């Protein structure tokens, strides 16, 4: 039996502070009524009207009680840790992620952070702003780095991690993967289970975090994990901020126990003005923009329409279904 009203009786709330999801949906010819929210307060004010919500960062779990018609949430992001899945299940609300919508963009962003740190592009930009022509460097340890022969450890070999491994291969990296699921993985040179993470870190020139945030991965890169790295190593995080113990990371960077970090996600977003990460010369911070791409709305609405069709046909399986 279909979970949702007929398409022409359906109301969908698109909730995102920036993305043009409602406009993309309107161009697809679907008969559902679309409403748009640009803030948490906007969504709270309209959620009682919605049969479907398309949201990520603007979602709050206490909205469940204010949404008697709500039966399906399409997450705008691949990460869904903001949704209380048990509460949704008890309320009879289905949930699907946007996994795959931005895997290419996130992997490319991770690769850009790796190369940017190795080639010191952030310092070059600082010098450009200061109109400073940096002289040649006599200290070999302070020069730009090459990729060939370096070891890249990819923690999390889902779609993003595997795509990152494929991008890194032509640069000559030796690739180590850390993944919970055993079995063949030809995309990397060696595959290690999570309990051997420190063994992998000890070999790393660069560590790239591409894993989801789960109870098992929260705080995964803690003080002991950072101590397993060499002082010349780099850390790139395109996963979630809470995968890393941020105070321990800041201490390692300050004390020269880690050469640098490229961070697309941090514990508190936006990054507070007082965070020491802003001013660290060996850190590149991007505003959780790894997944942003000009094609993002198209990809999310493709997934939404697929799932609306499945729900209309009464199919139990959703694309990227979680609840």
């Amino acid at each position: 039996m279909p979970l949702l009203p007929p398409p022409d009786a359906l109301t969908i709330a698109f909730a995102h502070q920036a993305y043009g999801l409602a406009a993309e949906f309107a161009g697809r010819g679907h008969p559902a009524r679309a409403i748009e929210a640009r803030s948490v307060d906007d969504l709270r004010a309209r959620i009682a009207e919605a049969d479907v919500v398309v949201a990520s960062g603007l979602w709050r779990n206490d909205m469940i009680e204010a949404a008697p018609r709500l039966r399906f949430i399409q997450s705008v992001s691949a990460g869904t840790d903001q949704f209380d899945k048990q509460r949704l299940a008890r309320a009879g609300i289905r949930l699907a992620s946007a996994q795959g919508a931005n895997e290419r963009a996130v992997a490319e962003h991770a690769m850009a952070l790796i190369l940017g740190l190795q080639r010191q592009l952030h310092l070059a930009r600082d010098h450009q702003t200061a109109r400073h022509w940096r002289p040649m460097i006599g200290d070999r340890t302070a020069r730009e780095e090459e990729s060939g022969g370096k070891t890249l450890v990819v923690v999390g070999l889902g779609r993003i991690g595997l795509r990152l491994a494929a991008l890194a291969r032509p640069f000559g990296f030796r690739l180590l993967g850390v993944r919970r699921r055993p079995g063949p993985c030809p995309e990397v040179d060696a595959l290690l289970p999570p309990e051997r993470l420190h063994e992998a870190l000890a070999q790393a020139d660069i560590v790239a975090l591409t894993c989801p945030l789960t109870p098992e991965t929260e705080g995964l890169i803690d003080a002991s994990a950072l101590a397993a790295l060499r002082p010349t190593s780099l850390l790139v995080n395109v996963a979630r901020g809470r995968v890393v113990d941020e105070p321990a990371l800041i201490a390692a960077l300050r004390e020269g126990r880690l050469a640098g970090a490229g961070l697309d996600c941090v514990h508190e977003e936006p990054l507070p003005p007082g965070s020491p990460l802003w001013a660290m010369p060996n850190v590149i911070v991007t505003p959780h923009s790894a997944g942003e791409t000009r094609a993002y709305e198209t990809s999310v609405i493709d997934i939404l329409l697929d799932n609306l069709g499945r729900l209309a046909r009464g199919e139990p399986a959703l694309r990227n279904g979680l609840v």
Side-chain angles (χ1 to χ4, degrees):
M1 181 176 180
L3 185 69
L4 298 174
D8 59 355
L10 194 64
T11 297
I12 303 176
F14 294 92
H16 197 280
Q17 60 267 45
Y19 294 168
L21 295 162
E24 176 70 27
F25 181 77
R28 302 297 187 94
H30 194 283
R33 171 178 172 246
I35 57 179
E36 192 168 41
R38 291 296 188 185
S39 68
V40 174
D41 289 343
D42 286 349
L43 182 56
R44 288 191 190 281
R46 305 296 300 273
I47 198 165
E49 306 171 49
D51 303 292
V52 174
V53 165
V54 183
S56 56
L58 300 184
W59 173 258
R60 300 293 183 270
N61 287 301
D62 62 6
M63 294 176 179
I64 294 172
E65 287 70 32
R69 293 175 51 175
L70 183 60
R71 289 295 172 265
F72 173 53
I73 299 173
Q74 174 64 63
S75 174
V76 176
S77 64
T80 57
D81 49 282
Q82 66 271 46
F83 297 99
D84 187 328
K85 298 171 183 64
Q86 291 184 344
R87 286 178 68 179
L88 291 174
R90 288 195 296 268
I93 300 169
R94 304 291 304 276
L95 171 69
S97 80
Q99 186 180 18
N102 62 1
E103 64 182 71
R104 184 187 300 273
V106 176
E108 290 175 357
H109 195 91
M111 196 71 224
L113 288 173
I114 291 168
L115 296 175
L117 286 166
Q118 286 188 311
R119 302 307 303 167
Q120 301 182 12
L121 297 185
H122 54 304
L123 299 181
R125 183 68 187 193
D126 291 346
H127 292 153
Q128 179 180 340
T129 301
R131 299 173 184 261
H132 170 66
W133 188 272
R134 191 212 72 187
M136 292 184 178
I137 297 175
D139 180 0
R140 293 169 65 176
T141 64
R143 294 177 192 165
E144 292 85 351
E145 191 55 272
E146 297 182 30
S147 300
K150 298 296 188 296
T151 296
L152 170 61
V153 174
V154 182
V155 181
L157 286 173
R159 295 181 183 182
I160 293 169
L162 290 174
R163 187 174 286 275
L164 173 58
L167 290 173
R169 176 71 72 186
F171 286 89
F173 283 104
R174 172 177 174 253
L175 294 164
L176 298 185
V178 177
R179 185 177 72 183
R180 187 168 302 279
R181 178 169 53 86
C185 188
E187 292 86 354
V188 296
D189 297 303
L191 181 66
L192 283 75
E195 54 267 26
R196 294 177 63 187
L197 172 65
H198 287 205
E199 180 184 335
L201 296 179
Q203 303 176 58
D205 295 294
I206 304 102
V207 179
L209 305 176
T210 59
C211 53
L213 179 64
T214 66
E216 293 75 26
T217 62
E218 185 166 1
L220 182 69
I221 305 301
D222 57 9
S224 63
L226 290 164
L229 291 164
R230 294 176 294 215
T232 54
S233 298
L234 302 169
L235 176 71
V236 167
N237 187 5
V238 294
R240 285 292 188 270
R242 283 183 287 155
V243 173
V244 178
D245 180 336
E246 197 165 285
L249 172 64
I250 290 170
L253 290 163
R254 276 177 166 165
E255 296 165 12
R257 293 182 283 109
L258 186 68
L263 306 174
D264 186 58
C265 39
V266 291
H267 278 208
E268 184 181 346
E269 297 179 3
L271 184 64
S275 171
L277 292 170
W278 285 115
M280 287 185 164
N282 53 346
V283 175
I284 300 175
V285 174
T286 55
H288 208 143
S289 58
E292 285 195 347
T293 165
R294 297 177 189 184
Y296 197 70
E297 286 91 337
T298 300
S299 299
V300 171
I301 298 304
D302 284 345
I303 297 171
L304 170 67
L305 290 173
D306 186 356
N307 281 327
L308 290 179
R310 296 179 188 218
L311 290 168
R313 295 187 295 270
E315 297 178 12
L318 294 175
R319 181 173 171 184
N320 301 333
L322 297 166
V323 176

